[in-house]
Amino acid sequence: MMERRMDTALLVLLMGHLAAALEVPLDLPQPPTITQQSPKDYIIDPRENIVIHCDAKGKPHPSFSWTRNGTHFDIDEDVNVVMRPHSGTLVVDISREKADHYEGVYQCTARNKHGTAVSHNIVIRQSIAFSILRALLKGSPLWSKERIKQIVVQEGVSLVLPCRPPAGLPPPIIFWMDNNFQRLPQSSRVSQSLNGDLYFSNVLREDSRNDYICYARFPHTQTIQQKQPITVKVLNLEAINDTMAAFYNETDLFSEDPVDERKPTFLIPSGSSSSHTVLRGQVLEMECIAEGLPTPEISWIKLSGDLPTQRMSYLYYQKNLRIVNVSASDAGDYRCSAKNMLGSVHHTIHVSVKASPYWIGGAPRNLVLAPGENGVLTCRASGTPKPSITWAMNGIPIANSPKDLSRKVEEDTIIFTDIQMGSSAVYQCNVSNDHGYLMANAFVNVLSEPPRVLTPANKVYQVIKNHRARIDCAFFGSPIPKITWFKDSRSSTLDGDPYIQHDNGTLEIHTAQARNSGKYTCAARNMLGIYENHVYLEVKEPTRILKQPEYKVVQRGRSVVFECKVKHDPTLVPTMTWLKDDGELPDDERLIVDSDSLTITDVTESDGGVYTCIMNTTLDHDSASAELTVVEATPTPAVVYERPDPPTDLELTDQKKRSVQLTWTPGDEHNSPIQKFLIQYDDSLHHRGHWHNLTEVPGTRTTAHLKLSPYVHYTFRVLALNAMGFSRPSFPSRMFKTEAAAPDENPKDVEGFGTEHDNLVISWKPLTGLQSNGPGLRYRVMWRQKAVESDWTTVTVSNNSRFVVSGTPTFVPYELKVQAVNDHGVGPEPAIARGYSGEDLPVAAPENVQVVVLNSTLAEVHWDPVPHKLIRGHLKGYKVYYWKERSLHKHNPYHMEKLILMFSGNHSHGMVPGLHPFSVYSFNVRVYNGKGEGPVSPTQQFDTPEGVPGAPTSLIVTNSNLDTLTLEWSPPHDRKGRITGYTLKYQPVNNSNELGPVEELALLANETSVTLPNLKYSTRYKFYLNAKTVRGAGPAISQEAVTIVDEALMSLLDVDVGEGTAGSTQSSHPLAQPPPHRLPDEALPVSPFGNVSSSVGEDGPLISWEYWGPEKNVYVEYMVENSEGEQEWQKEPVNGSQNVVLKGLKGGLSYRVRLVAKGHHDQPLHHSEELLVTVPAVASRQVDIATQGWFIGLMCAIALLILILLIICFIQRNKGGKYPVKEKEDAHTDPEFQPMKEDDCTFGEYSDNEDHKPLKGSRTPSNGTVKRDDSDDSLVDYGEGGDGQFNEDGSFIGQYSGKSGSRDTAEGHESSEAPSPINTMNSLNSFV
């Protein structure tokens, strides 16, 4: 009974192992599986949002919930917590709540209708390092700021400098540095302990310093904190006696006697023994630090065995023994010893190894079972002490779960027997002891599914010959499918040598060979069905370096070549890489890399080294290296080098049907070693007198085994090659005749094509006489239709390389073969080539042709592709024919030129660019093949919408008067729609070419001229005119003109076409009176030119016109009027524009000007009417000098200088005196007096009749009135606007320039004006 139970358990274990190996596709029902979760111990950063991960998969997709500290965590009630969509991951926003509020133990639950999976406990806690960081930010010290007393010690004693860093999670990293952030040197005498303290086995005088600083670095926050510096002063006994006693009142000396040498004692650990406990898999660190003089040496042994040398290391000069990845074998007693010349001391450390739970053979795996099957879930774990194992189902202890008769729990195993549908669930296994716990989810999924193969179909595997090949067959099914492999014909299963089939379906070939290439079929079968999948294996030839680079010794300044000839599989793409000393080649143009060599020119000493060539493919690689040694050039005696003498004594031996051995004797080398021998042959049967190269052999050999062809009369000769060139050929050998045989090969380059719609031309490359192998060479030509089950038709052809089959259907695929035949037999079975019979024109046009107008210049044409059978040939593409029928504007001419757009390939639409706006287009579509075009689709039409118009054709200025100008223009030649109006902008231009404010005027569409009144005289203006359609305004044409007094001369400066105007736009001109409208032309003139006009500018006459003809070659012709003799017309190209400036014409002459349009050579020229243009002798610009800035500035400067001189003279004369009123009145009535105007620094006129008015050039008070006294002669009229003061004799008291020093500022407005002109002029009269 016991044996039967054991067998059943073994079978259940095996089935459970196989079932657990399957991965359930996500489209099948399955319980949840946790795919991502945060670590058990999650240390958070309080500066960032908290993200607690929990993701799971399942079918249907699981829902998620959380517990916090063992109770349900309601996420909806906490506004700071959100759960990511389609996930259980929590994101906690800490901007409104402190992070420590969310510390605790979290657990995630994922459930669907098939079961419930739970995560392990996630302990969220904040790192102590962040509390430290906050303390730093607030300025709170981590180490106390108490004053650290100076440490004074006697030389030779031991010393410990404590660090005592603040606690951290994780613990901080401790290191000692000085004030310059340099690590303090450590040695066997001075070292740091595990707790961070600094130990001195004995101190020396050089240990004195004032900057022993302990630093603590907290990894989680990347912050560093330092302790207060410690000062250490080391003194010997003599120095102590020589120092003042008061200096040492507050210090402790360890001894008053000189320190003697002493044997070691341990500073740490204390006592003779200690114990240490470590967990399995962690790091064991033990330390022993001893003091003594001389400095003791530390050594370690393991009393209960050997030290694990592969996992151990010594730190801090052997004071620290470190063992990584601790195992149970590391338990035992370790002894550290400290020894110097005076003795030794020992300490024993007893190490105990405990273990938190760990898996044996891995965590429990998911189990997929079919109804009625058996299975096992195993939770094997161990630990020290031995852990306890508990089971749960769907997150509930299994003892409290619903009973299931098919389930039996036995400690670490759950056995399922005869399981049924509905028993799917997720089981949790929890393993724990005093040192930790493990928790794993494993589901049992009861499914009934036919087999399926998950490996992609027709996948190609590539492997190098003689390497291991593995072909995958990932599968799924319930019950577990059985996998069977077949190759090619499926004659037998692949279950023996050299094939190995693995449990996961993979087929392995230990050593792949070329014969293993082919198609493999993987069949998965269970009781519910069978599924087959096909994959392919390609065994490739390995990459091999046939000729490796060789060791080279080369003189400096010479060149060297490293060869690296490689053989690789032709289907793999190779990449050659060169290295120098295992690094990249220097970026030097002297290093030239070819496909199979590396050349270094002008070698230098730095080029010496090891060069490696590496040939890589996608599957393998090969490499080879050689060294280059560079030596100095040494002078050598002159040596005469010559080409070698020809070989002699040619002899044929070992004669066979298709081979012979040739031997010879080399000639003299002439001081240059023979590099190779070239063997040539002459075929006196087929090509008498023509020598052909047969093979080459190295210069060290004098024998060659020659492979020959049948039916050839061979004669051989040999040539030798050295550095100077080839020798003369040797004397020919005797003739050797090979016997005839059947052909060894068939013609190549077999092709099939048609020259007519009902024939098939079969062509091939004929064999040469050397390839014929015998007399009577002919060709057996075979063909048959590919798509029809028919026999091969065969004909035999001689002395030809093509054969024409007539009467074939149009464009039908054929299979072709051409076999070589001679009088001795037939060649090998030929390969099948494919071709087509002749093409014919397509018989159908594209249907459902439509057009979509995208904008005014672009349309998209759509059509249904023509069926392949109606194309009757190789589809080349589609052609769209389109042409402009007419413009929708009556002023634009017709245009009938057809254009063609070709779309190669099987297109169903295409873009038609470059259309003219506001036009009617016609188009059709046709398909074409190698023969030509098919029928035309029905012609359709479409209209292009309006576009932005071009610039007006011309803009000229007429009737230039003092303050008016008349502008005349011609509509745009390219209107691109209905003109809705014009916009005229103009602005003044000063003499420094600065632009003034812009005036804008809107004009009607039928206007072609406008008169601008109220312009400034003698002012230059710039005009911009553009036309508008409903789509917007087009580019502007610009013009410049000057209003002048002399109406006979108008200055035109420049004409150009731009994209718009610059400057700010102000309100429209207050008044614009257009002249009477011109009547539009009723019909276009015979000439394609119209509105030809001219105007004179600085650079020369400007000729403008309109043009609507189709010719592209347009130019201007001109010649001097009434010129003597047969003077030819001079030509000026216009480059597509409609205006041109004729430069270089002589002033004072009149010229005849006309426009010419030239078409094809058989078409007549089109001329415009001649225009008579007179070039003025002197073209100048009349400008009012009074308006020039330089003139105004000069006058102001002169006036200011005179004013300053007058003031100085006046002050010198009247300094300290009184001004008599009588003189003032006389000055007031002096008819010669002329006050100075402030605005333009000129002198105005003075009149007695204007006594009651302010003088010209003076300023009124700010209130707009002039203050006056009772006397009409008051100086208030001429002063600064304040009340005058007089003394008893009528004298005026005050200063005559600036403000009165005694004036009360409350009596009126203070003036900042210049001194009174009356005072100044009186001073001038006195001076004169």
Side-chain angles (χ1 to χ4, degrees), residues 1030-1093:
V1030 294
R1031 292 298 301 272
I1037 183 173
S1038 65
Q1039 180 70 277
E1040 291 189 17
V1042 178
T1043 56
I1044 55 177
V1045 177
D1046 185 2
E1047 296 182 359
L1049 180 61
M1050 179 181 65
S1051 177
L1052 295 177
L1053 300 179
D1054 194 13
V1055 176
D1056 65 291
V1057 177
E1059 290 297 330
T1061 60
S1064 60
T1065 303
Q1066 298 181 354
S1067 60
S1068 303
H1069 197 281
L1071 180 60
Q1073 299 176 352
H1077 297 166
R1078 297 181 179 177
L1079 293 176
D1081 296 333
E1082 294 299 331
L1084 293 174
V1086 176
S1087 172
F1089 297 98
N1091 292 332
V1092 181
S1093 60

Coordinates of all heavy atoms in Angstrom, one line a residue, residues 1030-1093:
V1030 N -10.8 87.3 -53.3 CA -11.4 86.8 -52.1 C -10.5 86.0 -51.3 O -10.7 85.8 -50.1 CB -12.6 86.0 -52.5 CG1 -13.7 86.8 -53.1 CG2 -12.2 84.8 -53.4
R1031 N -9.3 85.5 -51.9 CA -8.4 84.8 -51.1 C -7.4 85.6 -50.4 O -6.6 85.1 -49.6 CB -7.6 83.8 -52.0 CG -8.5 82.7 -52.6 CD -9.0 81.8 -51.5 NE -7.9 81.2 -50.7 CZ -7.3 80.1 -51.0 NH1 -7.7 79.4 -52.1 NH2 -6.3 79.6 -50.3
G1032 N -7.3 86.9 -50.6 CA -6.4 87.8 -49.9 C -5.6 88.7 -50.9 O -5.9 88.7 -52.1
A1033 N -4.7 89.4 -50.3 CA -3.9 90.4 -51.1 C -2.7 89.7 -51.6 O -2.1 88.9 -51.0 CB -3.6 91.6 -50.2
G1034 N -2.3 90.1 -52.8 CA -1.1 89.6 -53.4 C 0.1 90.5 -53.1 O 0.1 91.4 -52.4
P1035 N 1.3 90.1 -53.8 CA 2.5 91.0 -53.6 C 2.3 92.4 -54.1 O 1.4 92.6 -55.0 CB 3.6 90.2 -54.3 CG 2.8 89.3 -55.3 CD 1.5 89.0 -54.7
A1036 N 3.0 93.3 -53.6 CA 2.9 94.7 -54.0 C 4.0 95.1 -55.0 O 5.1 94.5 -55.0 CB 3.0 95.6 -52.8
I1037 N 3.6 96.0 -55.8 CA 4.6 96.7 -56.7 C 4.9 98.1 -56.0 O 3.9 98.7 -55.5 CB 4.1 96.8 -58.1 CG1 5.2 97.5 -59.0 CG2 2.8 97.6 -58.2 CD1 4.8 97.4 -60.5
S1038 N 6.1 98.5 -56.0 CA 6.4 99.7 -55.3 C 7.0 100.8 -56.3 O 7.5 100.4 -57.4 CB 7.4 99.5 -54.2 OG 8.6 99.0 -54.7
Q1039 N 6.9 102.0 -55.9 CA 7.3 103.1 -56.8 C 7.7 104.3 -55.9 O 7.1 104.4 -54.8 CB 6.2 103.5 -57.8 CG 6.6 104.6 -58.7 CD 7.6 104.2 -59.7 OE1 8.8 104.2 -59.4 NE2 7.2 103.8 -60.9
E1040 N 8.7 105.1 -56.3 CA 9.0 106.3 -55.6 C 8.9 107.5 -56.5 O 9.2 107.4 -57.7 CB 10.5 106.2 -55.0 CG 10.6 105.1 -53.9 CD 12.0 105.2 -53.3 OE1 12.6 106.2 -53.4 OE2 12.3 104.2 -52.6
A1041 N 8.5 108.6 -55.9 CA 8.4 109.9 -56.6 C 8.6 111.0 -55.7 O 8.4 110.9 -54.4 CB 7.1 110.0 -57.4
V1042 N 8.9 112.2 -56.2 CA 9.1 113.4 -55.4 C 8.2 114.5 -55.9 O 8.0 114.8 -57.1 CB 10.6 113.9 -55.6 CG1 10.8 115.2 -54.8 CG2 11.6 112.8 -55.1
T1043 N 7.5 115.2 -55.0 CA 6.7 116.4 -55.3 C 7.7 117.5 -55.4 O 8.5 117.8 -54.5 CB 5.7 116.7 -54.3 OG1 6.3 116.8 -53.0 CG2 4.7 115.5 -54.2
I1044 N 7.6 118.3 -56.5 CA 8.6 119.4 -56.7 C 7.9 120.6 -57.2 O 6.7 120.6 -57.7 CB 9.7 119.0 -57.8 CG1 9.0 118.5 -59.1 CG2 10.5 117.8 -57.3 CD1 9.9 118.2 -60.2
V1045 N 8.6 121.8 -57.1 CA 8.0 123.0 -57.6 C 8.0 123.0 -59.1 O 7.1 123.5 -59.7 CB 8.8 124.2 -57.0 CG1 8.3 125.5 -57.5 CG2 8.8 124.2 -55.5
D1046 N 9.1 122.6 -59.7 CA 9.2 122.5 -61.1 C 8.5 121.3 -61.6 O 8.9 120.2 -61.4 CB 10.7 122.4 -61.5 CG 10.8 122.5 -63.1 OD1 9.8 122.6 -63.7 OD2 12.0 122.4 -63.5
E1047 N 7.3 121.4 -62.1 CA 6.5 120.3 -62.5 C 7.0 119.6 -63.8 O 6.5 118.6 -64.1 CB 5.0 120.8 -62.8 CG 4.3 121.4 -61.6 CD 2.9 121.8 -61.9 OE1 2.5 121.6 -63.0 OE2 2.3 122.2 -60.9
A1048 N 8.0 120.2 -64.4 CA 8.5 119.6 -65.6 C 9.4 118.4 -65.3 O 9.8 117.7 -66.2 CB 9.3 120.6 -66.5
L1049 N 9.8 118.3 -64.1 CA 10.8 117.2 -63.7 C 10.3 116.4 -62.6 O 9.9 116.9 -61.6 CB 12.2 117.8 -63.4 CG 13.2 116.7 -63.0 CD1 13.5 115.8 -64.2 CD2 14.5 117.5 -62.6
M1050 N 10.1 115.1 -62.8 CA 9.7 114.2 -61.7 C 10.8 113.1 -61.5 O 11.3 112.6 -62.5 CB 8.4 113.5 -62.1 CG 7.9 112.5 -61.0 SD 6.3 111.7 -61.5 CE 6.9 110.8 -62.9
S1051 N 11.1 112.9 -60.3 CA 12.3 112.0 -60.0 C 11.7 110.6 -59.6 O 11.0 110.5 -58.6 CB 13.1 112.6 -58.9 OG 14.2 111.7 -58.6
L1052 N 12.0 109.6 -60.4 CA 11.6 108.2 -60.1 C 12.8 107.5 -59.6 O 13.9 107.5 -60.3 CB 11.0 107.5 -61.3 CG 9.7 108.1 -61.9 CD1 9.3 107.4 -63.1 CD2 8.6 108.0 -60.8
L1053 N 12.8 106.9 -58.5 CA 14.0 106.3 -57.9 C 14.1 104.8 -58.1 O 15.2 104.3 -58.4 CB 14.0 106.6 -56.4 CG 14.0 108.1 -56.0 CD1 14.0 108.2 -54.5 CD2 15.2 108.8 -56.6
D1054 N 13.0 104.1 -58.0 CA 13.2 102.6 -58.1 C 11.8 102.0 -58.3 O 10.8 102.5 -57.9 CB 13.9 102.1 -56.8 CG 14.3 100.7 -57.0 OD1 14.4 100.2 -58.2 OD2 14.7 100.0 -56.0
V1055 N 11.8 100.8 -58.9 CA 10.6 100.0 -59.1 C 11.0 98.6 -58.7 O 11.9 98.1 -59.2 CB 10.1 100.0 -60.5 CG1 8.9 99.1 -60.7 CG2 9.7 101.5 -60.9
D1056 N 10.2 98.0 -57.8 CA 10.4 96.6 -57.5 C 9.2 96.0 -57.0 O 8.3 96.6 -56.5 CB 11.5 96.5 -56.4 CG 11.1 97.1 -55.1 OD1 11.0 98.3 -55.0 OD2 10.9 96.3 -54.1
V1057 N 9.1 94.7 -57.1 CA 7.9 93.9 -56.7 C 8.3 93.2 -55.4 O 9.3 92.5 -55.3 CB 7.5 92.9 -57.7 CG1 6.4 92.1 -57.3 CG2 7.1 93.6 -59.0
G1058 N 7.5 93.4 -54.3 CA 7.7 92.8 -53.0 C 6.5 92.1 -52.5 O 5.5 91.9 -53.2
E1059 N 6.7 91.7 -51.3 CA 5.6 90.9 -50.6 C 4.7 91.8 -49.8 O 3.7 91.3 -49.2 CB 6.2 89.8 -49.8 CG 6.9 88.7 -50.6 CD 5.9 88.0 -51.5 OE1 4.7 87.9 -51.1 OE2 6.3 87.5 -52.5
G1060 N 5.0 93.0 -49.6 CA 4.1 93.8 -48.7 C 4.8 95.1 -48.4 O 5.8 95.5 -49.0
T1061 N 4.3 95.9 -47.5 CA 4.9 97.2 -47.1 C 5.3 97.1 -45.7 O 4.9 96.2 -44.9 CB 3.8 98.3 -47.2 OG1 2.7 98.0 -46.4 CG2 3.4 98.4 -48.7
A1062 N 6.2 98.0 -45.3 CA 6.7 98.1 -43.9 C 6.3 99.3 -43.3 O 5.8 100.3 -43.9 CB 8.3 98.0 -44.0
G1063 N 6.4 99.4 -42.0 CA 5.9 100.6 -41.3 C 4.6 100.4 -40.7 O 3.8 99.5 -41.0
S1064 N 4.2 101.3 -39.8 CA 2.9 101.3 -39.1 C 1.9 101.9 -40.0 O 2.1 102.9 -40.7 CB 3.0 102.0 -37.8 OG 3.4 103.3 -38.0
T1065 N 0.7 101.3 -40.1 CA -0.4 101.8 -40.9 C -1.3 102.8 -40.1 O -1.8 102.5 -39.0 CB -1.3 100.6 -41.4 OG1 -0.4 99.7 -42.1 CG2 -2.4 101.1 -42.3
Q1066 N -1.5 104.0 -40.7 CA -2.3 105.0 -40.0 C -3.6 105.1 -40.8 O -3.9 104.3 -41.7 CB -1.6 106.4 -40.0 CG -0.3 106.3 -39.2 CD 0.4 107.7 -39.2 OE1 -0.1 108.6 -39.8 NE2 1.4 107.8 -38.4
S1067 N -4.5 106.1 -40.5 CA -5.8 106.2 -41.1 C -5.6 106.6 -42.6 O -4.6 107.1 -43.0 CB -6.6 107.3 -40.4 OG -5.9 108.5 -40.4
S1068 N -6.6 106.3 -43.4 CA -6.6 106.6 -44.8 C -6.4 108.1 -45.1 O -6.7 108.9 -44.2 CB -7.9 106.1 -45.4 OG -8.0 104.7 -45.2
H1069 N -5.9 108.3 -46.2 CA -5.8 109.7 -46.6 C -7.1 110.4 -46.6 O -8.2 109.9 -47.0 CB -5.2 109.8 -48.1 CG -4.6 111.1 -48.4 ND1 -5.4 112.2 -48.8 CD2 -3.3 111.6 -48.4 CE1 -4.6 113.2 -49.0 NE2 -3.3 112.9 -48.8
P1070 N -7.2 111.7 -46.1 CA -8.5 112.3 -46.0 C -9.2 112.6 -47.3 O -10.4 112.6 -47.3 CB -8.1 113.7 -45.3 CG -6.7 113.9 -45.6 CD -6.1 112.5 -45.6
L1071 N -8.5 112.7 -48.4 CA -9.2 112.9 -49.6 C -8.4 112.3 -50.8 O -7.2 112.6 -50.9 CB -9.3 114.5 -49.8 CG -10.0 114.9 -51.1 CD1 -11.4 114.3 -51.2 CD2 -10.0 116.4 -51.3
A1072 N -9.0 111.5 -51.6 CA -8.3 110.9 -52.7 C -9.3 111.0 -53.9 O -10.4 110.5 -53.8 CB -7.9 109.5 -52.5
Q1073 N -8.9 111.7 -55.0 CA -9.8 111.8 -56.1 C -9.3 111.1 -57.3 O -8.3 111.5 -57.9 CB -9.9 113.3 -56.4 CG -10.5 114.2 -55.3 CD -10.5 115.7 -55.6 OE1 -10.0 116.1 -56.6 NE2 -11.1 116.5 -54.7
P1074 N -9.8 109.9 -57.6 CA -9.4 109.2 -58.8 C -9.8 109.9 -60.0 O -10.9 110.5 -60.1 CB -10.1 107.8 -58.6 CG -11.3 108.1 -57.8 CD -10.9 109.2 -56.9
P1075 N -9.0 109.8 -61.1 CA -9.4 110.4 -62.3 C -10.5 109.5 -63.0 O -10.8 108.5 -62.5 CB -8.1 110.3 -63.2 CG -7.4 109.2 -62.6 CD -7.7 109.2 -61.1
P1076 N -11.1 110.0 -64.0 CA -12.1 109.2 -64.7 C -11.6 107.9 -65.1 O -10.5 107.7 -65.5 CB -12.4 110.1 -65.9 CG -12.0 111.5 -65.6 CD -10.8 111.3 -64.7
H1077 N -12.4 106.8 -65.0 CA -12.1 105.4 -65.2 C -11.9 105.3 -66.7 O -12.6 105.8 -67.5 CB -13.1 104.5 -64.7 CG -13.3 104.5 -63.3 ND1 -14.3 104.0 -62.6 CD2 -12.5 105.1 -62.3 CE1 -14.2 104.2 -61.3 NE2 -13.1 104.9 -61.1
R1078 N -10.9 104.4 -67.0 CA -10.7 104.0 -68.4 C -11.6 102.9 -68.8 O -11.9 102.0 -68.0 CB -9.2 103.6 -68.7 CG -8.3 104.7 -68.4 CD -6.9 104.2 -68.7 NE -5.9 105.3 -68.5 CZ -4.6 105.1 -68.6 NH1 -4.1 103.9 -69.0 NH2 -3.7 106.1 -68.4
L1079 N -12.1 102.9 -70.0 CA -12.9 101.8 -70.4 C -12.1 100.6 -70.7 O -11.0 100.6 -71.3 CB -13.7 102.2 -71.7 CG -14.7 103.3 -71.6 CD1 -15.3 103.6 -72.9 CD2 -15.8 102.9 -70.6
P1080 N -12.5 99.4 -70.2 CA -11.7 98.2 -70.5 C -11.7 97.8 -71.9 O -12.7 98.1 -72.6 CB -12.4 97.1 -69.6 CG -13.8 97.6 -69.4 CD -13.7 99.1 -69.4
D1081 N -10.7 97.1 -72.3 CA -10.6 96.7 -73.7 C -11.7 95.6 -74.0 O -12.0 94.8 -73.2 CB -9.2 96.0 -74.0 CG -8.1 97.1 -73.9 OD1 -8.4 98.3 -74.1 OD2 -7.0 96.7 -73.5
E1082 N -12.3 95.7 -75.2 CA -13.3 94.8 -75.5 C -12.8 93.5 -76.0 O -13.4 92.4 -75.8 CB -14.2 95.4 -76.7 CG -14.9 96.6 -76.3 CD -16.0 96.4 -75.2 OE1 -16.5 95.2 -75.2 OE2 -16.3 97.3 -74.5
A1083 N -11.6 93.4 -76.5 CA -11.0 92.2 -77.0 C -9.4 92.3 -76.9 O -8.9 93.4 -76.9 CB -11.4 91.8 -78.4
L1084 N -8.8 91.2 -76.8 CA -7.3 91.2 -76.7 C -6.7 91.6 -78.1 O -7.3 91.2 -79.1 CB -6.8 89.8 -76.3 CG -7.1 89.4 -74.9 CD1 -6.6 87.9 -74.8 CD2 -6.4 90.3 -73.9
P1085 N -5.7 92.4 -78.1 CA -5.1 92.8 -79.4 C -4.4 91.6 -80.0 O -4.2 90.6 -79.3 CB -4.1 93.9 -79.0 CG -3.8 93.7 -77.6 CD -5.0 93.1 -77.0
V1086 N -4.0 91.7 -81.3 CA -3.3 90.6 -81.9 C -2.0 90.4 -81.3 O -1.6 89.3 -81.1 CB -3.2 90.9 -83.4 CG1 -2.3 89.9 -84.1 CG2 -4.5 91.1 -84.1
S1087 N -1.3 91.5 -80.9 CA 0.0 91.3 -80.2 C -0.2 90.8 -78.8 O -1.2 91.3 -78.2 CB 0.8 92.7 -80.2 OG 1.9 92.6 -79.4
P1088 N 0.6 90.0 -78.3 CA 0.4 89.5 -76.9 C 0.9 90.5 -75.9 O 0.9 90.2 -74.7 CB 1.3 88.3 -76.8 CG 2.4 88.5 -77.8 CD 1.8 89.3 -78.9
F1089 N 1.3 91.7 -76.3 CA 1.8 92.8 -75.4 C 0.7 93.9 -75.3 O 0.1 94.2 -76.2 CB 3.1 93.3 -75.8 CG 4.2 92.4 -75.9 CD1 4.6 91.7 -77.1 CD2 4.9 92.0 -74.7 CE1 5.6 90.8 -77.1 CE2 5.9 91.1 -74.7 CZ 6.3 90.5 -75.9
G1090 N 0.6 94.5 -74.1 CA -0.3 95.6 -73.9 C 0.2 96.5 -72.8 O 1.0 96.1 -72.0
N1091 N -0.3 97.7 -72.8 CA 0.0 98.7 -71.8 C 1.6 98.9 -71.7 O 2.1 98.9 -70.6 CB -0.5 98.3 -70.4 CG -2.0 98.4 -70.4 OD1 -2.6 99.2 -71.1 ND2 -2.7 97.6 -69.6
V1092 N 2.2 99.0 -72.8 CA 3.7 99.2 -72.8 C 3.9 100.7 -72.5 O 3.4 101.6 -73.1 CB 4.3 98.9 -74.2 CG1 5.8 99.1 -74.1 CG2 4.0 97.5 -74.5
S1093 N 4.7 100.9 -71.4 CA 4.9 102.3 -71.0 C 6.4 102.4 -70.5 O 7.1 101.4 -70.3 CB 4.0 102.7 -69.8 OG 4.2 101.8 -68.7

